[in-house]
Amino acid sequence: MPDRSAFWPPVPDWSRAVREASGLCLRASEPAVAWQLSGAFAPVLAGLGVIARGPRECCEGETYALRLAPDCVLLLGAIPPGVTAGGGADGRAASPRADGSVCIDVEGERAAALMACGSEYPFEAAPAPAQECARLLFAGLRVGVVRRPQGWRLHVERPWAAALWHWLEDILEQGAA
């Protein structure tokens, strides 16, 4: 079978993936702890002092949750106390997801322009009601988005992370943002 790898750029080393251009910085990382929680986990989040966020709600800490659906969140930075992987008779389910995603920070004075290249979503508008989903289409991919103090953090599933990273690099090189 022919080697098709020559047709695609290599997957970045996520521990060292950083790109900077005037007024813009892209930085990738792999979350150490990430859990997808479905069901009645509000008491668990409250015990951690975490409020689920949408794409325009700013979160400053390293422990936060992205609102994926009315009863589903992606919790990052903390192991939920007393929660084990799997589902239960109480209608709750938990899955560790750290190995399944990559985070890409988009920061700097041109971050809003880059975000506008990826989606028509109004990232800089006032935060929407607390039911807004953090997962949306960005650069044609389903991406979890959360506002950070210096820009935004994109949470992308690992199989699509390299494609998103290379798309962001192309936008950076073209100066479109």
Side-chain angles (χ1 to χ4, degrees):
M1 176 174 276
D3 179 9
R4 306 297 282 174
S5 65
F7 291 97
W8 304 102
V11 174
D13 175 355
W14 298 120
S15 66
R16 290 188 259 167
V18 176
R19 289 292 307 263
E20 293 185 52
S22 61
L24 194 57
C25 178
L26 304 174
R27 183 175 294 109
S29 62
E30 297 173 288
V33 177
W35 283 78
Q36 185 164 332
L37 308 175
S38 299
F41 279 101
V44 172
L45 295 178
L48 292 169
V50 172
I51 298 170
R53 309 249 181 221
R56 292 182 275 186
E57 298 169 282
C58 190
C59 72
E60 297 182 23
E62 291 306 312
T63 299
Y64 59 94
L66 297 177
R67 191 180 311 106
L68 304 179
D71 66 345
C72 183
V73 299
L74 180 63
L75 174 65
L76 290 106
I79 298 173
V83 174
T84 58
D90 59 0
R92 299 188 327 175
S95 303
R97 297 286 306 267
D99 291 342
S101 63
V102 172
C103 298
I104 300 173
D105 289 335
V106 178
E107 299 176 336
E109 62 190 41
R110 291 178 41 219
L114 187 143
M115 295 299 288
C117 288
S119 176
E120 293 181 0
Y121 182 84
F123 291 105
E124 291 200 287
Q131 293 79 21
E132 187 175 41
C133 181
R135 190 178 291 160
L136 49 90
L137 281 179
F138 183 84
L141 302 170
R142 279 184 15 166
V143 176
V145 180
V146 68
R147 187 84 161 97
R148 301 293 282 176
Q150 306 300 320
W152 287 267
R153 179 169 287 167
L154 309 175
H155 297 79
V156 61
E157 293 179 16
R158 188 173 294 276
W160 304 110
L164 180 58
W165 181 260
H166 294 304
W167 182 88
L168 291 165
E169 285 182 318
D170 286 347
I171 294 296
L172 214 61
E173 289 173 12
Q174 295 170 9

